[in-house]
Amino acid sequence: VIRQTYWRTRFGFYLAAVGSACGLGNLWRFPYVVGDNGGGAFVLLYVAIVLLLGMPLLIGEVMIGKTTRQSVLAATRSLSERHKKHWKWIGRFSVVLSLVVLSYYAVVSGWVLHFLVQFTTGAVTGLYASDAQNLVSALMNNGLLQIALASSHLLVAIVVVLKGVQDGLERWVSYTVPLFVVLLLFLVLRSLSLEAGPEALRFLLYPDFSSLTKSSLLHAIGHACFTLSIGFGTMVTFGSYLRDSDHIPTAGFRVSVADTFISLLAGFLVFPIVLQASNIRASDPAMLFEALPLFLLAQPGGVFFGVLFFLCLYFAALGASIGLLEVIVSNLVDRLKVSRSLATWGSGGAALLIATGPALSSSVLRHIEFQGRGVLELFDTVLINFFLPIVAVGIGLCVVTVLTPKEREQAFIDNTRIESVRLFPHWRFVLKYLAPAMVLSAMLLQLWEWFI
Ligand code: PHE
């Protein structure tokens, strides 16, 4: 199926792309990965990786979509037919990855939903600083509740996706992201004025390189791919809706910068609270949900800000989930010629089934652990740090070997932008050599840390 519809406005594309890029990855995952990797030096490494690897890969992925005007499965399949190479496996892999990621993403989105409901009812019945701890533990100990929340979340995503990209996605995400940024800025100012504010600034900005470990490089690469939505095929689909006149590298740059900015805000918001509280582990996946209620409920008007925060976060999570589900659905429809509604219900149902594992991670399956990580964290680590970078690099290689030089040049170079001419060979070098080499070395370093 070759696309013939486009984003109605260029701004619509940005909002949707930033809406898909900005999600739990920025607010929930970024702070805990930074905590896990010791702070400032990792932040620096991460920003460097975003610019050096993330952005070029993102540009490549959008380019496949814009050039072929197809979603990732159909695109990699037709490209592999044209060049007799087996790139279609990359496409298939990325769709499966989207499905598994969607499933545990739904569990964490369910947590957001829980807090949204608690704060909303709390606005009526009253919610106090002393309740903060209970809110988290009630959720973590209750596996069934987590399954119910994940199902509700998936149901919402299914309903939105059934309405189709233009109507569903664009409208949902467009209003909440800018509002969220304003709210975050406001909360960050308040959080930084806590006693531990300066300490948090130092923790996030002062690079103490001795705190990096052999896993840090892989963690930075994995998170960069995840947060920019690279390697899932989402950006291929997004690119397929771009208009001919849109310049991909500019779009890639803007989306990467906006996404990194939001992640940094999340760090500045969370760490003053975490460093001030003595009982929150800075590398805990539930860190955001332990820290934020504690902080908000101690503030005047905290319940109101809590409702607003979790509402925005929920929309961000929903935008991302819709992006993921949309990838699976549009690929199934393109390839298997099934109806859109069957594809949506089928993949939503499959995601729910897989989600039961991570949803029970902190209750029934609590005893299942590897290297101190529970089921949900294992899903997160293995998928994001191992599978995702492999697929991302694979898509990048597909761009530089299968698209013709002319296609690449046309998509990358814009003669009114002299820098695009200069950057073109560097971009190609990154996709072809640097990205594979770095991912490979990062994985070897990680294995070294684990097993030697
Ligand atoms: N980038 C999103 C986030 O940071 C996650 C995501 C990945 C969304 C892939 C869509 C597709 O939360």
Side-chain angles (χ1 to χ4, degrees):
V1 178
I2 307 287
R3 271 206 226 295
Q4 266 150 12
T5 46
Y6 303 102
W7 300 104
R8 249 174 274 137
T9 58
R10 182 170 302 165
F11 193 59
F13 166 77
Y14 281 124
L15 280 180
V18 175
S20 162
C22 164
L24 294 173
N26 308 66
L27 271 295
W28 160 71
R29 199 174 189 277
F30 179 73
Y32 105 75
V33 175
V34 168
D36 203 13
N37 286 279
F42 181 79
V43 172
L44 202 66
L45 175 69
Y46 168 75
V47 173
I49 291 290
V50 165
L51 294 175
L52 199 68
L53 289 193
M55 200 167 60
L57 287 169
L58 175 62
I59 291 172
E61 216 169 285
V62 174
M63 189 177 289
I64 292 196
K66 191 181 165 196
T67 310
T68 62
R69 295 256 173 249
Q70 289 171 322
S71 61
V72 69
L73 257 186
T76 47
R77 200 174 67 104
S78 57
L79 289 177
S80 74
E81 268 164 15
R82 151 171 144 190
H83 291 259
K84 297 192 183 54
K85 290 208 178 108
H86 297 291
W87 295 107
K88 57 182 174 227
W89 282 103
I90 289 292
R92 288 181 187 161
F93 212 42
S94 82
V95 174
V96 174
L97 193 65
S98 300
L99 182 68
V100 189
V101 169
L102 173 65
S103 71
Y104 90 87
Y105 204 85
V107 175
V108 184
S109 308
W111 298 355
V112 181
L113 206 52
H114 171 78
F115 282 89
L116 176 58
V117 172
Q118 296 300 323
F119 271 80
T120 313
T121 50
V124 183
T125 58
L127 201 58
Y128 308 96
S130 53
D131 297 324
Q133 183 58 41
N134 290 343
L135 289 180
V136 189
S137 48
L139 177 68
M140 290 302 153
N141 296 329
N142 193 341
L144 277 183
L145 176 64
Q146 291 196 41
I147 293 182
L149 288 163
S151 328
S152 319
H153 172 73
L154 283 170
L155 198 67
V156 180
I158 287 172
V159 170
V160 177
V161 167
L162 277 179
K163 292 182 149 196
V165 159
Q166 292 280 358
D167 297 346
L169 217 149
E170 202 175 345
R171 198 177 46 202
W172 277 95
V173 291
S174 45
Y175 306 112
T176 50
V177 178
L179 176 71
F180 200 14
V181 172
V182 174
L183 178 67
L184 278 175
L185 280 169
F186 175 77
L187 291 177
V188 163
L189 288 180
R190 281 194 162 190
S191 164
L192 281 176
S193 61
L194 290 174
E195 226 169 278
E199 194 188 337
L201 280 179
R202 190 184 149 82
F203 178 75
L204 286 170
L205 298 178
Y206 177 76
D208 168 14
F209 290 100
S210 67
S211 63
L212 291 179
T213 65
K214 294 191 194 72
S215 357
S216 298
L217 182 60
L218 191 61
H219 287 191
I221 296 177
H223 187 73
C225 292
F226 180 65
T227 191
L228 294 176
S229 313
I230 305 164
F232 295 95
T234 321
M235 291 300 172
V236 178
T237 307
F238 275 114
S240 72
Y241 292 103
L242 267 183
R243 283 173 302 185
D244 285 337
S245 57
D246 292 330
H247 186 231
I248 302 172
T250 312
F253 177 73
R254 289 188 186 155
V255 172
S256 307
V257 169
D259 185 84
T260 307
F261 176 68
I262 296 174
S263 293
L264 290 175
L265 283 184
F268 291 131
L269 171 63
V270 171
F271 277 102
I273 311 167
V274 171
L275 295 177
Q276 184 131 335
S278 52
N279 56 349
I280 303 180
R281 190 163 54 91
S283 56
D284 189 342
M287 179 168 94
L288 173 74
F289 300 93
E290 289 169 351
L292 220 72
L294 194 68
F295 164 68
L296 288 171
L297 294 178
Q299 298 276 320
V303 180
F304 167 74
F305 285 111
V307 174
L308 218 55
F309 177 87
F310 286 110
L311 191 66
C312 287
L313 185 58
Y314 186 68
F315 278 134
L318 188 60
S321 306
I322 293 167
L324 284 166
L325 188 59
E326 176 60 41
V327 159
I328 308 165
V329 171
S330 60
N331 280 296
L332 290 180
V333 172
D334 271 4
R335 280 288 292 122
L336 302 181
K337 310 275 178 281
V338 291
S339 73
R340 198 173 158 85
S341 69
L342 181 67
T344 314
W345 285 107
S347 38
L352 180 61
L353 220 63
I354 306 173
T356 47
L360 298 176
S361 155
S362 54
S363 51
V364 186
L365 304 179
R366 188 182 294 139
H367 51 280
I368 302 185
E369 268 192 7
F370 172 72
Q371 302 226 336
R373 295 175 196 269
V375 176
L376 185 126
E377 224 183 318
L378 284 177
F379 258 68
D380 190 44
T381 307
V382 175
L383 289 170
I384 306 305
N385 296 336
F386 279 91
F387 289 104
L388 184 57
I390 294 178
V391 180
V393 163
I395 298 183
L397 284 174
C398 180
V399 174
V400 283
T401 45
V402 185
L403 288 187
T404 61
K406 193 161 178 325
E407 277 171 337
R408 283 198 297 268
E409 236 177 82
Q410 249 173 10
F412 196 99
I413 292 178
D414 171 351
N415 284 325
T416 60
R417 292 185 171 87
I418 184 75
E419 65 281 6
S420 73
V421 181
R422 290 223 195 94
L423 288 174
F424 183 61
H426 297 289
W427 168 76
R428 209 177 137 264
F429 176 79
V430 170
L431 261 54
K432 196 161 186 181
Y433 303 107
L434 192 68
M438 280 186 81
V439 167
L440 189 68
S441 346
M443 284 185 180
L444 291 176
L445 276 172
Q446 169 75 86
L447 294 176
W448 182 8
E449 161 125 328
W450 276 348
F451 297 111
I452 298 181

Coordinates of all heavy atoms in Angstrom, one line a residue, residues 17-30 61 98 101-102 105 223-235 238 259 263 316-325 327 384 388, ligand 1:
A17 N 5.3 13.6 16.0 CA 6.6 12.9 16.2 C 7.1 13.2 17.6 O 7.6 12.2 18.2 CB 7.6 13.5 15.1
V18 N 7.1 14.4 18.1 CA 7.5 14.7 19.5 C 6.6 13.9 20.4 O 7.0 13.4 21.4 CB 7.6 16.2 19.8 CG1 7.9 16.4 21.2 CG2 8.6 16.9 18.9
G19 N 5.3 13.9 20.1 CA 4.3 13.2 21.0 C 4.7 11.7 21.1 O 4.6 11.1 22.1
S20 N 5.1 11.1 20.0 CA 5.5 9.7 20.0 C 6.9 9.6 20.7 O 7.1 8.6 21.4 CB 5.5 9.1 18.6 OG 6.3 7.9 18.7
A21 N 7.8 10.5 20.5 CA 9.1 10.4 21.1 C 9.0 10.6 22.6 O 9.7 10.0 23.4 CB 10.1 11.3 20.4
C22 N 8.2 11.6 22.9 CA 8.1 12.0 24.4 C 7.1 11.1 25.1 O 5.9 11.1 24.7 CB 7.7 13.4 24.5 SG 7.1 13.9 26.1
G23 N 7.6 10.4 26.0 CA 6.6 9.5 26.7 C 7.3 9.0 28.0 O 8.1 9.8 28.6
L24 N 6.9 7.8 28.4 CA 7.5 7.3 29.7 C 9.0 7.2 29.6 O 9.6 7.2 30.6 CB 6.9 5.9 29.9 CG 5.4 5.9 30.2 CD1 4.8 4.5 30.3 CD2 5.1 6.7 31.5
G25 N 9.5 7.0 28.4 CA 11.0 7.0 28.2 C 11.6 8.2 28.9 O 12.6 8.1 29.6
N26 N 11.0 9.3 28.7 CA 11.6 10.6 29.2 C 11.4 10.7 30.7 O 12.3 11.1 31.4 CB 11.0 11.8 28.5 CG 11.1 11.7 27.0 OD1 10.5 10.8 26.4 ND2 11.9 12.5 26.4
L27 N 10.2 10.5 31.1 CA 9.8 10.8 32.5 C 10.1 9.7 33.5 O 10.6 9.9 34.6 CB 8.3 11.2 32.5 CG 7.9 12.6 32.3 CD1 8.4 13.5 33.4 CD2 8.3 13.2 31.0
W28 N 9.8 8.5 33.0 CA 9.9 7.4 33.9 C 11.3 6.7 33.8 O 12.0 6.5 34.7 CB 8.8 6.3 33.6 CG 9.1 5.0 34.1 CD1 9.1 4.5 35.4 CD2 9.4 3.8 33.3 NE1 9.5 3.2 35.4 CE2 9.6 2.7 34.2 CE3 9.6 3.6 31.9 CZ2 10.0 1.4 33.7 CZ3 9.9 2.3 31.5 CH2 10.1 1.3 32.4
R29 N 11.7 6.5 32.5 CA 12.9 5.6 32.3 C 14.2 6.5 32.5 O 15.1 6.0 33.1 CB 12.8 5.0 31.0 CG 13.8 3.8 30.9 CD 13.6 3.0 29.6 NE 14.3 1.8 29.6 CZ 15.6 1.6 29.3 NH1 16.3 2.7 29.0 NH2 16.2 0.5 29.3
F30 N 14.2 7.6 31.9 CA 15.5 8.4 31.9 C 16.0 8.6 33.3 O 17.2 8.3 33.6 CB 15.3 9.7 31.2 CG 16.5 10.6 31.1 CD1 17.6 10.3 30.3 CD2 16.6 11.7 32.0 CE1 18.7 11.1 30.3 CE2 17.7 12.5 31.9 CZ 18.8 12.2 31.1
E61 N 15.6 6.4 9.6 CA 14.3 5.7 9.6 C 13.2 6.5 9.0 O 12.4 6.0 8.2 CB 14.0 5.4 11.1 CG 13.3 4.1 11.2 CD 13.2 3.7 12.7 OE1 14.2 3.2 13.3 OE2 12.1 3.7 13.2
S98 N 8.0 -4.0 18.7 CA 7.0 -3.1 19.1 C 5.9 -3.7 20.0 O 5.5 -3.1 20.9 CB 6.3 -2.5 17.9 OG 7.3 -1.8 17.1
V101 N 7.4 -4.5 23.5 CA 7.6 -3.3 24.2 C 6.2 -2.6 24.6 O 6.0 -2.2 25.7 CB 8.4 -2.3 23.4 CG1 8.4 -0.9 24.1 CG2 9.9 -2.8 23.3
L102 N 5.3 -2.7 23.7 CA 3.9 -2.1 24.0 C 3.4 -2.8 25.2 O 2.7 -2.2 26.1 CB 3.0 -2.4 22.8 CG 1.5 -2.0 23.0 CD1 1.4 -0.5 23.3 CD2 0.7 -2.4 21.8
Y105 N 5.1 -1.6 28.3 CA 4.9 -0.1 28.4 C 3.4 0.1 28.9 O 3.2 1.1 29.6 CB 5.0 0.4 27.0 CG 5.3 1.9 26.8 CD1 6.6 2.4 26.9 CD2 4.2 2.8 26.7 CE1 6.8 3.7 26.7 CE2 4.5 4.2 26.5 CZ 5.8 4.6 26.6 OH 6.1 5.9 26.5
H223 N 18.9 3.5 25.6 CA 17.9 4.5 26.0 C 17.7 5.5 24.9 O 16.5 6.0 24.7 CB 18.2 5.2 27.3 CG 17.1 6.1 27.8 ND1 15.9 5.6 28.3 CD2 17.0 7.4 27.7 CE1 15.1 6.6 28.5 NE2 15.7 7.7 28.2
A224 N 18.7 5.9 24.2 CA 18.6 6.9 23.1 C 17.7 6.3 22.1 O 16.8 7.1 21.6 CB 20.0 7.2 22.5
C225 N 17.8 5.1 21.7 CA 16.9 4.5 20.7 C 15.5 4.5 21.2 O 14.6 4.8 20.5 CB 17.3 3.1 20.4 SG 18.9 2.9 19.5
F226 N 15.3 4.1 22.4 CA 14.0 3.9 23.0 C 13.3 5.3 23.0 O 12.1 5.4 22.6 CB 14.1 3.4 24.4 CG 12.8 3.2 25.1 CD1 11.8 2.3 24.6 CD2 12.4 3.9 26.2 CE1 10.6 2.1 25.2 CE2 11.2 3.7 26.8 CZ 10.3 2.8 26.3
T227 N 14.0 6.3 23.6 CA 13.3 7.5 23.8 C 13.0 8.3 22.5 O 12.1 9.0 22.3 CB 14.1 8.4 24.8 OG1 13.3 9.5 25.2 CG2 15.4 8.9 24.2
L228 N 13.9 8.0 21.5 CA 13.6 8.7 20.2 C 12.7 7.8 19.3 O 12.5 8.1 18.1 CB 14.9 9.0 19.5 CG 15.9 10.0 20.1 CD1 17.2 10.1 19.4 CD2 15.2 11.4 20.1
S229 N 12.3 6.7 19.8 CA 11.4 5.7 19.1 C 12.1 5.2 17.8 O 11.5 5.1 16.8 CB 10.1 6.3 18.7 OG 9.5 7.0 19.8
I230 N 13.4 4.9 17.9 CA 14.1 4.4 16.8 C 14.2 2.9 16.9 O 14.4 2.3 18.0 CB 15.6 4.9 16.8 CG1 15.7 6.4 16.8 CG2 16.3 4.4 15.6 CD1 17.0 6.9 17.2
G231 N 14.0 2.2 15.8 CA 14.1 0.7 15.8 C 12.8 0.0 15.9 O 12.7 -1.2 15.9
F232 N 11.7 0.8 16.0 CA 10.4 0.2 16.2 C 9.6 0.3 14.9 O 8.5 -0.3 14.8 CB 9.6 1.0 17.2 CG 10.1 0.8 18.6 CD1 11.0 1.8 19.1 CD2 9.8 -0.3 19.4 CE1 11.5 1.7 20.4 CE2 10.3 -0.4 20.7 CZ 11.2 0.6 21.2
G233 N 10.1 1.1 14.0 CA 9.3 1.3 12.8 C 8.3 2.4 12.9 O 7.7 2.8 11.9
T234 N 8.2 3.0 14.1 CA 7.2 4.1 14.3 C 7.6 5.3 13.4 O 6.8 5.9 12.7 CB 7.3 4.7 15.7 OG1 7.5 3.6 16.6 CG2 6.1 5.5 16.0
M235 N 8.9 5.6 13.4 CA 9.3 6.7 12.6 C 9.3 6.5 11.1 O 9.2 7.4 10.3 CB 10.7 7.2 13.1 CG 10.7 7.8 14.5 SD 9.6 9.2 14.6 CE 9.6 9.5 16.4
F238 N 5.8 7.4 10.5 CA 5.6 8.9 10.5 C 6.2 9.5 9.2 O 5.6 10.4 8.7 CB 6.4 9.4 11.7 CG 5.6 9.4 12.9 CD1 6.0 8.6 14.0 CD2 4.5 10.2 13.0 CE1 5.2 8.6 15.2 CE2 3.7 10.2 14.2 CZ 4.1 9.4 15.3
D259 N 13.2 16.2 22.5 CA 13.1 15.0 23.3 C 14.1 15.0 24.5 O 13.8 14.7 25.6 CB 13.2 13.7 22.5 CG 13.0 12.5 23.3 OD1 11.8 12.1 23.4 OD2 14.0 11.9 23.8
S263 N 13.6 15.1 28.6 CA 14.3 14.1 29.6 C 15.1 14.9 30.6 O 15.0 14.5 31.8 CB 15.3 13.2 28.8 OG 14.6 12.4 27.9
A316 N 0.9 11.5 27.4 CA 2.2 11.2 26.8 C 2.4 9.7 26.6 O 2.8 9.2 25.6 CB 3.4 11.7 27.6
A317 N 2.0 8.9 27.7 CA 2.1 7.5 27.6 C 1.2 6.9 26.5 O 1.5 6.0 25.8 CB 1.8 6.8 28.9
L318 N 0.0 7.5 26.5 CA -1.0 7.1 25.5 C -0.5 7.4 24.1 O -0.6 6.5 23.2 CB -2.3 7.8 25.8 CG -3.5 7.3 24.9 CD1 -3.7 5.8 25.2 CD2 -4.7 8.1 25.3
G319 N 0.1 8.6 23.9 CA 0.6 9.0 22.6 C 1.6 7.9 22.1 O 1.6 7.5 21.0
A320 N 2.5 7.6 23.0 CA 3.6 6.6 22.7 C 3.0 5.2 22.4 O 3.3 4.6 21.4 CB 4.6 6.5 23.8
S321 N 2.0 4.8 23.2 CA 1.4 3.5 23.0 C 0.7 3.5 21.7 O 0.7 2.5 21.0 CB 0.4 3.2 24.1 OG 1.0 3.3 25.4
I322 N 0.0 4.6 21.4 CA -0.7 4.6 20.1 C 0.3 4.5 19.0 O 0.1 3.8 18.0 CB -1.5 6.0 20.0 CG1 -2.6 6.0 21.0 CG2 -2.0 6.1 18.6 CD1 -3.2 7.3 21.2
G323 N 1.5 5.2 19.1 CA 2.5 5.1 18.1 C 2.9 3.6 17.9 O 3.1 3.2 16.8
L324 N 3.1 2.9 19.0 CA 3.6 1.5 18.9 C 2.5 0.7 18.3 O 2.7 -0.2 17.4 CB 3.9 1.0 20.3 CG 5.2 1.5 20.9 CD1 5.3 1.1 22.4 CD2 6.4 0.8 20.2
L325 N 1.3 0.8 18.8 CA 0.2 0.0 18.3 C -0.1 0.3 16.8 O -0.3 -0.6 16.0 CB -1.1 0.3 19.1 CG -2.3 -0.6 18.8 CD1 -1.9 -2.1 19.1 CD2 -3.5 -0.2 19.7
V327 N 2.1 1.2 14.6 CA 3.1 0.5 13.8 C 2.6 -1.0 13.5 O 2.7 -1.5 12.4 CB 4.4 0.4 14.5 CG1 5.3 -0.7 14.0 CG2 5.1 1.7 14.4
I384 N 15.4 -3.3 25.5 CA 15.9 -1.9 25.1 C 17.4 -1.9 24.9 O 17.9 -1.2 24.0 CB 15.5 -0.9 26.2 CG1 14.0 -1.0 26.5 CG2 15.9 0.5 25.8 CD1 13.1 -0.8 25.3
L388 N 16.7 -3.8 20.8 CA 16.5 -2.5 20.1 C 17.7 -2.0 19.3 O 17.5 -1.6 18.2 CB 15.9 -1.5 21.1 CG 15.5 -0.2 20.6 CD1 14.4 -0.4 19.5 CD2 14.9 0.7 21.7
Ligands
PHE1 N1 9.8 7.1 22.7 C1 8.8 6.7 23.6 C2 9.1 7.1 25.0 O1 10.1 7.7 25.2 C3 8.6 5.2 23.5 C4 8.1 4.8 22.2 C5 8.9 3.9 21.5 C6 7.0 5.2 21.6 C7 8.5 3.5 20.2 C8 6.6 4.8 20.3 C9 7.4 4.0 19.7 O2 8.4 6.9 25.9

